[in-house]
Amino acid sequence: MSSVTLRSALETTPVAYGFWLTLPSAPVAKTILRRSPEFTEGGFSWVLVDAEHGLINDTHYYELTNAVGHEGASPIIRVPWPEEWMIKRALDAGAHGIMTPMCHSAEDAAKVVSYCKYPPVGVRGYGPMFTPHSFPGVKPSEYDEKTHGEVLVIVQIESRPGVENVEEIANVDGLDVLFIGEIGYFCIGFVGFANGLFVGPFDLAKQMRVTRGGEEHEAAIQRVLDAARSAGKKAAIFCSDGDDALRRTQQGFDMVSITTDVAVIGDGMLNQLEKAKGSSNVQGKRDGY
């Protein structure tokens, strides 16, 4: 079994569930992960550490990757942009996988793969002084020999060119997952992992200038899912709540983010306030972060 929890989950379970961490808070991440087995068998297998749109930067990476990794889940860091130095910093801090925004072409995806892999496969610089700390039970020599090669590579397809080129993107060697990310009203987004794609619905709708949830938007999401399947990769998607997540798992997505930390904190606190007041105005379905 892989020492990368998410990779093992993608290989052995129908769906790998995760959530978005936008706050630089190890206690928030650990509270959620520690309690999840009490409510559902298996719990979460990954956490997206959002350094693109969240309040997280690389000074927080080490603490967050260790907090998540030692609770039995994989910390996946979404870097602000697919630049080599940003990816290197995230991996050296202990990320089990990298997600990059705005993948428009197979060339873009190939560069990300190269930045994540040591030579001769890629060009990642060597310096994993702290990297193994977030992989419980993995010795430094084991990271060098095996674990670094199991780190997941994920790209988001969140533009019209990304959708139009998604079949070529999905066939890039070393890419694990295609990811469809935050669902926007005028565009659609996708992400690619080692053997998968991530779909980002919010940005994708905005970039494509189409109605989120409309026929063209849903067709683009399905195209990403089909491309992942055809290439033998995994498909992933960002969801705004559990109802949305259930629909996407039934559609066939392998990796699903069910909600965000700020959504749970905000909705949970306000819903309890409304209940305390005897109000029936309790928050229902979410539409966004």
Side-chain angles (χ1 to χ4, degrees), residues 200-235:
F202 287 105
D203 274 326
L204 185 54
K206 292 184 181 295
Q207 296 290 334
M208 292 184 70
R209 304 294 193 271
V210 299
T211 301
R212 178 186 162 216
E215 184 175 347
E216 188 175 358
H217 183 245
E218 288 298 324
I221 291 176
Q222 187 63 46
R223 182 173 174 178
V224 176
L225 179 58
D226 292 343
R229 289 282 178 272
S230 296
K233 306 294 177 68
K234 301 295 184 180

mmCIF file of all heavy atoms in Angstrom, residues 200-235:
data_model
loop_
_atom_site.group_PDB
_atom_site.id
_atom_site.type_symbol
_atom_site.label_atom_id
_atom_site.label_comp_id
_atom_site.label_asym_id
_atom_site.label_seq_id
_atom_site.Cartn_x
_atom_site.Cartn_y
_atom_site.Cartn_z
ATOM 1 N N GLY A 200 -13.034 22.131 -11.765
ATOM 2 C CA GLY A 200 -13.359 23.290 -10.944
ATOM 3 C C GLY A 200 -14.514 24.042 -11.560
ATOM 4 O O GLY A 200 -14.339 24.833 -12.460
ATOM 5 N N PRO A 201 -15.720 23.746 -11.117
ATOM 6 C CA PRO A 201 -16.905 24.254 -11.780
ATOM 7 C C PRO A 201 -17.090 25.766 -11.745
ATOM 8 O O PRO A 201 -17.610 26.336 -12.696
ATOM 9 C CB PRO A 201 -18.047 23.563 -11.051
ATOM 10 C CG PRO A 201 -17.431 22.711 -9.989
ATOM 11 C CD PRO A 201 -15.959 22.862 -10.025
ATOM 12 N N PHE A 202 -16.691 26.454 -10.684
ATOM 13 C CA PHE A 202 -16.946 27.897 -10.598
ATOM 14 C C PHE A 202 -16.142 28.683 -11.619
ATOM 15 O O PHE A 202 -16.688 29.422 -12.426
ATOM 16 C CB PHE A 202 -16.621 28.420 -9.189
ATOM 17 C CG PHE A 202 -17.626 28.013 -8.165
ATOM 18 C CD1 PHE A 202 -17.328 27.023 -7.251
ATOM 19 C CD2 PHE A 202 -18.866 28.613 -8.123
ATOM 20 C CE1 PHE A 202 -18.257 26.640 -6.305
ATOM 21 C CE2 PHE A 202 -19.804 28.232 -7.181
ATOM 22 C CZ PHE A 202 -19.494 27.243 -6.273
ATOM 23 N N ASP A 203 -14.806 28.537 -11.540
ATOM 24 C CA ASP A 203 -13.959 29.261 -12.479
ATOM 25 C C ASP A 203 -14.273 28.894 -13.908
ATOM 26 O O ASP A 203 -14.233 29.735 -14.801
ATOM 27 C CB ASP A 203 -12.480 28.974 -12.193
ATOM 28 C CG ASP A 203 -11.911 29.896 -11.129
ATOM 29 O OD1 ASP A 203 -12.353 31.053 -11.085
ATOM 30 O OD2 ASP A 203 -11.056 29.467 -10.365
ATOM 31 N N LEU A 204 -14.550 27.619 -14.140
ATOM 32 C CA LEU A 204 -14.798 27.169 -15.503
ATOM 33 C C LEU A 204 -15.983 27.891 -16.113
ATOM 34 O O LEU A 204 -15.939 28.338 -17.254
ATOM 35 C CB LEU A 204 -15.029 25.664 -15.514
ATOM 36 C CG LEU A 204 -15.179 25.054 -16.891
ATOM 37 C CD1 LEU A 204 -14.008 25.410 -17.774
ATOM 38 C CD2 LEU A 204 -15.312 23.560 -16.807
ATOM 39 N N ALA A 205 -17.057 28.005 -15.365
ATOM 40 C CA ALA A 205 -18.235 28.690 -15.882
ATOM 41 C C ALA A 205 -17.917 30.144 -16.201
ATOM 42 O O ALA A 205 -18.329 30.682 -17.225
ATOM 43 C CB ALA A 205 -19.388 28.605 -14.879
ATOM 44 N N LYS A 206 -17.142 30.788 -15.330
ATOM 45 C CA LYS A 206 -16.808 32.197 -15.548
ATOM 46 C C LYS A 206 -15.903 32.369 -16.771
ATOM 47 O O LYS A 206 -16.114 33.258 -17.598
ATOM 48 C CB LYS A 206 -16.128 32.787 -14.303
ATOM 49 C CG LYS A 206 -17.050 32.904 -13.099
ATOM 50 C CD LYS A 206 -16.340 33.588 -11.951
ATOM 51 C CE LYS A 206 -17.254 33.686 -10.734
ATOM 52 N NZ LYS A 206 -18.421 34.556 -11.000
ATOM 53 N N GLN A 207 -14.869 31.526 -16.871
ATOM 54 C CA GLN A 207 -13.936 31.658 -17.979
ATOM 55 C C GLN A 207 -14.590 31.336 -19.323
ATOM 56 O O GLN A 207 -14.232 31.909 -20.345
ATOM 57 C CB GLN A 207 -12.730 30.738 -17.753
ATOM 58 C CG GLN A 207 -11.892 31.080 -16.539
ATOM 59 C CD GLN A 207 -11.120 32.374 -16.703
ATOM 60 O OE1 GLN A 207 -10.817 32.781 -17.817
ATOM 61 N NE2 GLN A 207 -10.818 33.027 -15.602
ATOM 62 N N MET A 208 -15.529 30.398 -19.319
ATOM 63 C CA MET A 208 -16.197 30.012 -20.560
ATOM 64 C C MET A 208 -17.340 30.943 -20.922
ATOM 65 O O MET A 208 -17.895 30.861 -22.015
ATOM 66 C CB MET A 208 -16.725 28.576 -20.451
ATOM 67 C CG MET A 208 -15.648 27.514 -20.395
ATOM 68 S SD MET A 208 -16.318 25.838 -20.372
ATOM 69 C CE MET A 208 -16.958 25.716 -22.054
ATOM 70 N N ARG A 209 -17.700 31.830 -19.970
ATOM 71 C CA ARG A 209 -18.812 32.758 -20.177
ATOM 72 C C ARG A 209 -20.120 32.005 -20.427
ATOM 73 O O ARG A 209 -20.891 32.341 -21.334
ATOM 74 C CB ARG A 209 -18.530 33.704 -21.347
ATOM 75 C CG ARG A 209 -17.231 34.499 -21.214
ATOM 76 C CD ARG A 209 -17.296 35.474 -20.041
ATOM 77 N NE ARG A 209 -16.213 36.428 -20.087
ATOM 78 C CZ ARG A 209 -15.020 36.245 -19.528
ATOM 79 N NH1 ARG A 209 -14.768 35.114 -18.896
ATOM 80 N NH2 ARG A 209 -14.089 37.162 -19.595
ATOM 81 N N VAL A 210 -20.333 30.967 -19.621
ATOM 82 C CA VAL A 210 -21.575 30.206 -19.719
ATOM 83 C C VAL A 210 -22.235 30.175 -18.352
ATOM 84 O O VAL A 210 -21.610 30.480 -17.327
ATOM 85 C CB VAL A 210 -21.331 28.766 -20.217
ATOM 86 C CG1 VAL A 210 -20.706 28.793 -21.611
ATOM 87 C CG2 VAL A 210 -20.464 27.976 -19.246
ATOM 88 N N THR A 211 -23.502 29.803 -18.314
ATOM 89 C CA THR A 211 -24.250 29.747 -17.065
ATOM 90 C C THR A 211 -23.860 28.516 -16.267
ATOM 91 O O THR A 211 -23.882 27.394 -16.779
ATOM 92 C CB THR A 211 -25.764 29.711 -17.343
ATOM 93 O OG1 THR A 211 -26.124 30.879 -18.083
ATOM 94 C CG2 THR A 211 -26.551 29.655 -16.033
ATOM 95 N N ARG A 212 -23.475 28.728 -15.024
ATOM 96 C CA ARG A 212 -23.131 27.608 -14.172
ATOM 97 C C ARG A 212 -24.345 26.705 -13.988
ATOM 98 O O ARG A 212 -25.443 27.151 -13.664
ATOM 99 C CB ARG A 212 -22.662 28.106 -12.811
ATOM 100 C CG ARG A 212 -22.343 26.959 -11.858
ATOM 101 C CD ARG A 212 -22.031 27.470 -10.476
ATOM 102 N NE ARG A 212 -22.159 26.378 -9.529
ATOM 103 C CZ ARG A 212 -22.621 26.498 -8.293
ATOM 104 N NH1 ARG A 212 -22.996 27.655 -7.856
ATOM 105 N NH2 ARG A 212 -22.706 25.444 -7.504
ATOM 106 N N GLY A 213 -24.134 25.401 -14.234
ATOM 107 C CA GLY A 213 -25.215 24.446 -14.123
ATOM 108 C C GLY A 213 -26.039 24.318 -15.380
ATOM 109 O O GLY A 213 -26.920 23.466 -15.463
ATOM 110 N N GLY A 214 -25.740 25.176 -16.374
ATOM 111 C CA GLY A 214 -26.457 25.104 -17.640
ATOM 112 C C GLY A 214 -25.958 23.969 -18.507
ATOM 113 O O GLY A 214 -25.004 23.266 -18.176
ATOM 114 N N GLU A 215 -26.570 23.824 -19.655
ATOM 115 C CA GLU A 215 -26.271 22.691 -20.530
ATOM 116 C C GLU A 215 -24.806 22.671 -20.972
ATOM 117 O O GLU A 215 -24.150 21.619 -20.946
ATOM 118 C CB GLU A 215 -27.191 22.736 -21.755
ATOM 119 C CG GLU A 215 -27.031 21.552 -22.685
ATOM 120 C CD GLU A 215 -28.038 21.578 -23.824
ATOM 121 O OE1 GLU A 215 -29.006 22.365 -23.754
ATOM 122 O OE2 GLU A 215 -27.834 20.811 -24.795
ATOM 123 N N GLU A 216 -24.266 23.829 -21.385
ATOM 124 C CA GLU A 216 -22.884 23.867 -21.864
ATOM 125 C C GLU A 216 -21.894 23.620 -20.731
ATOM 126 O O GLU A 216 -20.874 22.944 -20.907
ATOM 127 C CB GLU A 216 -22.595 25.219 -22.524
ATOM 128 C CG GLU A 216 -21.242 25.270 -23.218
ATOM 129 C CD GLU A 216 -21.014 26.563 -23.981
ATOM 130 O OE1 GLU A 216 -21.924 27.425 -24.004
ATOM 131 O OE2 GLU A 216 -19.918 26.717 -24.561
ATOM 132 N N HIS A 217 -22.211 24.146 -19.564
ATOM 133 C CA HIS A 217 -21.348 23.951 -18.393
ATOM 134 C C HIS A 217 -21.287 22.482 -18.004
ATOM 135 O O HIS A 217 -20.211 21.911 -17.788
ATOM 136 C CB HIS A 217 -21.877 24.795 -17.242
ATOM 137 C CG HIS A 217 -21.035 24.746 -16.011
ATOM 138 N ND1 HIS A 217 -21.480 24.208 -14.831
ATOM 139 C CD2 HIS A 217 -19.764 25.164 -15.761
ATOM 140 C CE1 HIS A 217 -20.537 24.299 -13.903
ATOM 141 N NE2 HIS A 217 -19.489 24.872 -14.440
ATOM 142 N N GLU A 218 -22.460 21.838 -17.941
ATOM 143 C CA GLU A 218 -22.505 20.431 -17.566
ATOM 144 C C GLU A 218 -21.851 19.550 -18.627
ATOM 145 O O GLU A 218 -21.228 18.527 -18.316
ATOM 146 C CB GLU A 218 -23.953 19.990 -17.329
ATOM 147 C CG GLU A 218 -24.564 20.556 -16.049
ATOM 148 C CD GLU A 218 -23.822 20.105 -14.793
ATOM 149 O OE1 GLU A 218 -23.341 18.950 -14.755
ATOM 150 O OE2 GLU A 218 -23.708 20.908 -13.843
ATOM 151 N N ALA A 219 -21.980 19.954 -19.902
ATOM 152 C CA ALA A 219 -21.335 19.194 -20.976
ATOM 153 C C ALA A 219 -19.822 19.256 -20.840
ATOM 154 O O ALA A 219 -19.114 18.272 -21.094
ATOM 155 C CB ALA A 219 -21.774 19.725 -22.341
ATOM 156 N N ALA A 220 -19.294 20.411 -20.427
ATOM 157 C CA ALA A 220 -17.858 20.559 -20.227
ATOM 158 C C ALA A 220 -17.374 19.691 -19.071
ATOM 159 O O ALA A 220 -16.316 19.055 -19.142
ATOM 160 C CB ALA A 220 -17.519 22.020 -19.974
ATOM 161 N N ILE A 221 -18.148 19.661 -17.986
ATOM 162 C CA ILE A 221 -17.799 18.809 -16.843
ATOM 163 C C ILE A 221 -17.770 17.345 -17.265
ATOM 164 O O ILE A 221 -16.842 16.594 -16.939
ATOM 165 C CB ILE A 221 -18.790 19.029 -15.687
ATOM 166 C CG1 ILE A 221 -18.598 20.422 -15.083
ATOM 167 C CG2 ILE A 221 -18.620 17.955 -14.616
ATOM 168 C CD1 ILE A 221 -19.591 20.773 -13.990
ATOM 169 N N GLN A 222 -18.787 16.935 -18.027
ATOM 170 C CA GLN A 222 -18.840 15.550 -18.477
ATOM 171 C C GLN A 222 -17.673 15.235 -19.414
ATOM 172 O O GLN A 222 -17.115 14.124 -19.384
ATOM 173 C CB GLN A 222 -20.162 15.284 -19.191
ATOM 174 C CG GLN A 222 -20.386 13.816 -19.558
ATOM 175 C CD GLN A 222 -20.466 12.908 -18.348
ATOM 176 O OE1 GLN A 222 -21.147 13.212 -17.367
ATOM 177 N NE2 GLN A 222 -19.742 11.779 -18.390
ATOM 178 N N ARG A 223 -17.275 16.202 -20.223
ATOM 179 C CA ARG A 223 -16.152 15.986 -21.135
ATOM 180 C C ARG A 223 -14.863 15.724 -20.365
ATOM 181 O O ARG A 223 -14.054 14.870 -20.752
ATOM 182 C CB ARG A 223 -15.982 17.190 -22.062
ATOM 183 C CG ARG A 223 -14.857 17.021 -23.078
ATOM 184 C CD ARG A 223 -14.830 18.162 -24.075
ATOM 185 N NE ARG A 223 -13.673 18.064 -24.964
ATOM 186 C CZ ARG A 223 -13.421 18.905 -25.969
ATOM 187 N NH1 ARG A 223 -14.258 19.912 -26.212
ATOM 188 N NH2 ARG A 223 -12.353 18.745 -26.725
ATOM 189 N N VAL A 224 -14.656 16.451 -19.287
ATOM 190 C CA VAL A 224 -13.471 16.222 -18.457
ATOM 191 C C VAL A 224 -13.519 14.829 -17.831
ATOM 192 O O VAL A 224 -12.523 14.103 -17.813
ATOM 193 C CB VAL A 224 -13.364 17.292 -17.358
ATOM 194 C CG1 VAL A 224 -12.189 16.978 -16.447
ATOM 195 C CG2 VAL A 224 -13.183 18.657 -17.970
ATOM 196 N N LEU A 225 -14.676 14.466 -17.304
ATOM 197 C CA LEU A 225 -14.834 13.142 -16.699
ATOM 198 C C LEU A 225 -14.547 12.050 -17.719
ATOM 199 O O LEU A 225 -13.832 11.075 -17.435
ATOM 200 C CB LEU A 225 -16.252 13.007 -16.143
ATOM 201 C CG LEU A 225 -16.634 11.682 -15.484
ATOM 202 C CD1 LEU A 225 -15.709 11.349 -14.324
ATOM 203 C CD2 LEU A 225 -18.088 11.723 -15.029
ATOM 204 N N ASP A 226 -15.082 12.206 -18.923
ATOM 205 C CA ASP A 226 -14.874 11.211 -19.982
ATOM 206 C C ASP A 226 -13.404 11.140 -20.398
ATOM 207 O O ASP A 226 -12.867 10.051 -20.660
ATOM 208 C CB ASP A 226 -15.738 11.547 -21.199
ATOM 209 C CG ASP A 226 -17.232 11.380 -20.942
ATOM 210 O OD1 ASP A 226 -17.578 10.702 -19.951
ATOM 211 O OD2 ASP A 226 -18.031 11.932 -21.713
ATOM 212 N N ALA A 227 -12.740 12.310 -20.449
ATOM 213 C CA ALA A 227 -11.319 12.339 -20.827
ATOM 214 C C ALA A 227 -10.472 11.587 -19.806
ATOM 215 O O ALA A 227 -9.537 10.851 -20.164
ATOM 216 C CB ALA A 227 -10.842 13.778 -20.959
ATOM 217 N N ALA A 228 -10.788 11.791 -18.538
ATOM 218 C CA ALA A 228 -10.057 11.084 -17.484
ATOM 219 C C ALA A 228 -10.238 9.579 -17.623
ATOM 220 O O ALA A 228 -9.270 8.807 -17.549
ATOM 221 C CB ALA A 228 -10.528 11.555 -16.118
ATOM 222 N N ARG A 229 -11.469 9.165 -17.816
ATOM 223 C CA ARG A 229 -11.763 7.744 -17.965
ATOM 224 C C ARG A 229 -11.000 7.143 -19.148
ATOM 225 O O ARG A 229 -10.391 6.072 -19.042
ATOM 226 C CB ARG A 229 -13.262 7.537 -18.181
ATOM 227 C CG ARG A 229 -14.103 7.788 -16.951
ATOM 228 C CD ARG A 229 -14.020 6.610 -15.991
ATOM 229 N NE ARG A 229 -14.804 6.879 -14.794
ATOM 230 C CZ ARG A 229 -14.342 7.493 -13.715
ATOM 231 N NH1 ARG A 229 -13.100 7.921 -13.691
ATOM 232 N NH2 ARG A 229 -15.109 7.685 -12.673
ATOM 233 N N SER A 230 -11.037 7.815 -20.272
ATOM 234 C CA SER A 230 -10.395 7.305 -21.487
ATOM 235 C C SER A 230 -8.885 7.184 -21.323
ATOM 236 O O SER A 230 -8.255 6.304 -21.914
ATOM 237 C CB SER A 230 -10.710 8.220 -22.674
ATOM 238 O OG SER A 230 -12.104 8.211 -22.961
ATOM 239 N N ALA A 231 -8.285 8.074 -20.518
ATOM 240 C CA ALA A 231 -6.835 8.074 -20.324
ATOM 241 C C ALA A 231 -6.401 7.207 -19.146
ATOM 242 O O ALA A 231 -5.208 7.127 -18.837
ATOM 243 C CB ALA A 231 -6.342 9.509 -20.122
ATOM 244 N N GLY A 232 -7.357 6.576 -18.471
ATOM 245 C CA GLY A 232 -7.020 5.765 -17.310
ATOM 246 C C GLY A 232 -6.632 6.585 -16.103
ATOM 247 O O GLY A 232 -5.907 6.106 -15.218
ATOM 248 N N LYS A 233 -7.126 7.813 -16.036
ATOM 249 C CA LYS A 233 -6.832 8.708 -14.919
ATOM 250 C C LYS A 233 -8.050 8.814 -13.995
ATOM 251 O O LYS A 233 -9.123 8.309 -14.293
ATOM 252 C CB LYS A 233 -6.437 10.095 -15.432
ATOM 253 C CG LYS A 233 -5.290 10.099 -16.439
ATOM 254 C CD LYS A 233 -3.990 9.636 -15.811
ATOM 255 C CE LYS A 233 -2.855 9.571 -16.829
ATOM 256 N NZ LYS A 233 -2.443 10.891 -17.332
ATOM 257 N N LYS A 234 -7.881 9.527 -12.891
ATOM 258 C CA LYS A 234 -8.964 9.779 -11.961
ATOM 259 C C LYS A 234 -9.539 11.166 -12.204
ATOM 260 O O LYS A 234 -8.842 12.068 -12.668
ATOM 261 C CB LYS A 234 -8.479 9.667 -10.515
ATOM 262 C CG LYS A 234 -7.898 8.317 -10.153
ATOM 263 C CD LYS A 234 -8.924 7.212 -10.209
ATOM 264 C CE LYS A 234 -8.328 5.892 -9.757
ATOM 265 N NZ LYS A 234 -9.330 4.790 -9.817
ATOM 266 N N ALA A 235 -10.811 11.328 -11.862
ATOM 267 C CA ALA A 235 -11.491 12.611 -12.035
ATOM 268 C C ALA A 235 -11.949 13.110 -10.676
ATOM 269 O O ALA A 235 -12.478 12.352 -9.868
ATOM 270 C CB ALA A 235 -12.682 12.473 -12.972
#
